[in-house]
């Protein structure tokens, strides 16, 4: 098989690998993501005393299924988002490698590829995460329609567009770009951890899972304040048709409100469940991505 054919396979394999990675994230991580988003948007003076109280109160009052509320957008969205992210990442790696074919990719190269992948996928992620966030903060009792403004993602999207036009589904794009720009840290640290673990003799499977989990912890630790701002903006209530009286009109006003009302701690509200879920969720997702990628390449080359 020629180098050109091999490169084409490498470019395309990110699509099915990304789909598999996205499904893995949903199954493993969505319940704690719901807790995280509820903690972030409720703020320091909300209805929950902490992450565990949020988890138990949600289950007690709304049932276990409430933890998967808003799962439809990411079920579709994470598969698309991960496909876009990982395909872009792979293509950027190939582009960078083509300029120095005899030199292995450096950590700085992985950072650059991660940055471009993060910025690119933000344009896909924003409407998906907007729908997810608004649905996750609907509080209604078990089997009750009370407190439910939207019956699902389609109904939510329809009402937002009706009230504010098509641009309404891109509310939160700027903080999403800010948040996902930190993908440089995710893939840069993944490269560092992978090299360390391989030198210590870990298997490819163990390396992918452990490096994926540890790099996710690094990513969330430094990017989390941007995620809080993003979700506050996305989850804020709709002020009504034609109204511009949003609680937050941008990143600056949201950040100022959080700092004034909650201090620095407000930017890390809900961090515990996020940190706990990031290792197994992203470790499993990257393991699935690496496994599908390597398996696909072997099948095509054989």
């Amino acid at each position: 098989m020629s180098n050109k054919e091999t490169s084409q396979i490498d470019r395309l394999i990110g699509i099915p690998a990304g789909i598999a990675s996205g499904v893995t994230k949903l199954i493993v991580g969505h319940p704690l993501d719901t807790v995280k988003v509820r903690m972030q948007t409720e703020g320091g003076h909300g209805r929950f005393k902490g992450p565990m109280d949020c988890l138990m109160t949600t289950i007690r009052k709304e049932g276990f299924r409430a933890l998967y509320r808003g799962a439809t957008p990411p079920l579709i969205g994470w598969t698309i988002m991960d496909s876009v992210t990982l395909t872009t990442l792979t293509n950027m790696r190939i582009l960078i490698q083509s300029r120095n074919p005899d030199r292995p990719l450096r950590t700085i190269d992985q950072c650059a590829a991660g940055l471009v992948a993060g910025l690119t996928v933000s344009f896909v992620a924003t409407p998906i995460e907007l729908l997810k966030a608004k649905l996750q903060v609907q509080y209604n009792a078990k089997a009750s329609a009370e407190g439910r403004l939207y019956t699902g993602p389609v109904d939510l999207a329809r009402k937002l567009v009706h009230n504010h036009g098509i641009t309404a589904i891109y509310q939160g794009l700027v903080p999403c770009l800010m948040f996902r720009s930190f993908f440089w840290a995710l893939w840069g640290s993944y490269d560092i951890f992978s090299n360390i673990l391989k030198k210590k003799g870990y298997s490819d499977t163990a390396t992918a899972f452990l490096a994926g989990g540890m790099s996710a912890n690094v990513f969330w630790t430094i990017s989390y304040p941007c995620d809080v701002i993003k979700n506050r903006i996305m989850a804020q209530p709709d002020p009504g048709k034609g109204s511009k009286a949003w609680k937050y009109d941008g990143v600056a006003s949201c950040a100022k409100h959080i700092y004034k009302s909650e201090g620095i701690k407000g930017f890390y509200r809900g961090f515990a469940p996020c940190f706990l879920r990031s290792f197994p969720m992203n470790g499993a997702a990257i393991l699935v991505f690496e496994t599908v990628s390597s398996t696909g390449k072997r099948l095509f080359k054989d």
Side-chain angles (χ1 to χ4, degrees), residues 254-265:
C254 182
K256 183 178 179 181
H257 175 83
I258 293 172
Y259 182 74
K260 186 176 180 180
S261 60
E262 303 171 55
I264 294 296
K265 290 174 60 177

Side-chain angles (χ1 to χ4, degrees), residues 91-101 103 105-106 108-110 112-113:
N91 282 310
M92 282 302 300
R93 286 171 171 172
I94 293 171
L95 177 63
I96 295 170
Q97 186 73 75
S98 67
R99 297 182 177 182
N100 294 282
R103 186 192 70 194
L105 289 176
R106 301 164 299 173
I108 190 66
D109 297 326
Q110 300 287 0

Side-chain angles (χ1 to χ4, degrees), residues 7-297:
S7 177
Q8 188 65 22
I9 290 171
D10 290 343
R11 291 178 188 277
L12 295 175
I13 203 66
I15 298 174
I19 292 173
S21 171
V23 172
T24 302
K25 283 184 178 179
L26 177 73
I27 295 171
V28 176
H30 195 77
L32 284 179
D33 183 69
T34 297
V35 173
K36 178 199 74 156
V37 171
R38 288 189 168 193
M39 289 294 298
Q40 287 178 331
T41 55
E42 279 293 298
H45 310 290
R47 68 188 76 195
F48 306 117
K49 297 175 183 177
M52 186 57 66
D53 179 54
C54 178
L55 175 66
M56 300 310 297
T57 299
T58 298
I59 294 173
R60 186 175 66 254
K61 292 186 175 181
E62 302 172 65
F64 183 80
R65 290 180 60 185
L67 295 175
Y68 279 91
R69 186 164 293 148
T72 302
L75 175 61
I76 300 169
W78 265 336
T79 59
I80 298 172
M81 286 156 54
D82 275 22
S83 291
V84 171
T85 299
L86 299 173
T87 300
T88 305
L89 182 77
T90 300
N91 282 310
M92 282 302 300
R93 286 171 171 172
I94 293 171
L95 177 63
I96 295 170
Q97 186 73 75
S98 67
R99 297 182 177 182
N100 294 282
D102 298 325
R103 186 192 70 194
L105 289 176
R106 301 164 299 173
T107 297
I108 190 66
D109 297 326
Q110 300 287 0
C111 289
L115 173 62
V116 174
L119 294 176
T120 301
V121 76
S122 295
F123 293 93
V124 178
T126 298
I128 293 168
E129 296 203 332
L130 175 75
L131 299 178
K132 177 179 75 69
K134 286 188 182 297
L135 291 173
Q136 283 178 312
V137 296
Q138 286 197 121
Y139 299 95
N140 55 286
K142 299 177 185 178
S144 169
E146 183 181 353
R148 183 184 299 174
L149 297 175
Y150 313 108
T151 58
V154 175
D155 179 53
L156 168 55
R158 182 180 61 81
K159 288 178 178 176
L160 284 175
V161 172
H162 177 263
N163 288 346
H164 307 284
I166 191 65
T167 56
I169 63 173
Y170 270 91
Q171 187 181 44
L173 173 61
V174 173
C176 191
L177 285 164
M178 292 168 57
F179 167 65
R180 282 188 159 73
S181 69
F182 284 97
F183 274 19
W184 68 265
L186 175 68
W187 292 104
S189 61
Y190 178 72
D191 183 63
I192 293 172
F193 290 132
S194 293
N195 290 333
I196 293 173
L197 291 169
K198 286 176 182 177
K199 288 178 182 178
K200 290 183 176 293
Y202 283 81
S203 67
D204 290 344
T205 299
T207 295
F209 179 76
L210 293 173
M214 289 187 290
S215 62
N217 285 162
V218 171
F219 165 74
W220 279 105
T221 299
I222 63 176
S223 68
Y224 195 80
C226 291
D227 189 54
V228 171
I229 293 172
K230 172 177 69 71
N231 282 326
R232 289 278 183 103
I233 291 174
M234 288 181 170
Q236 61 183 316
D238 185 346
K241 183 174 176 58
S243 174
K244 297 184 182 298
W246 296 94
K247 184 175 181 180
Y248 311 114
D249 60 9
V251 172
S253 67
C254 182
K256 183 178 179 181
H257 175 83
I258 293 172
Y259 182 74
K260 186 176 180 180
S261 60
E262 303 171 55
I264 294 296
K265 290 174 60 177
F267 292 100
Y268 277 90
R269 194 159 304 281
F271 180 71
C274 174
F275 192 81
L276 290 174
R277 83 179 176 115
S278 67
F279 192 105
M281 183 182 80
N282 289 279
I286 290 179
L287 171 60
V288 168
F289 167 68
E290 297 283 14
T291 302
V292 173
S293 295
S294 59
T295 301
K297 291 173 185 177

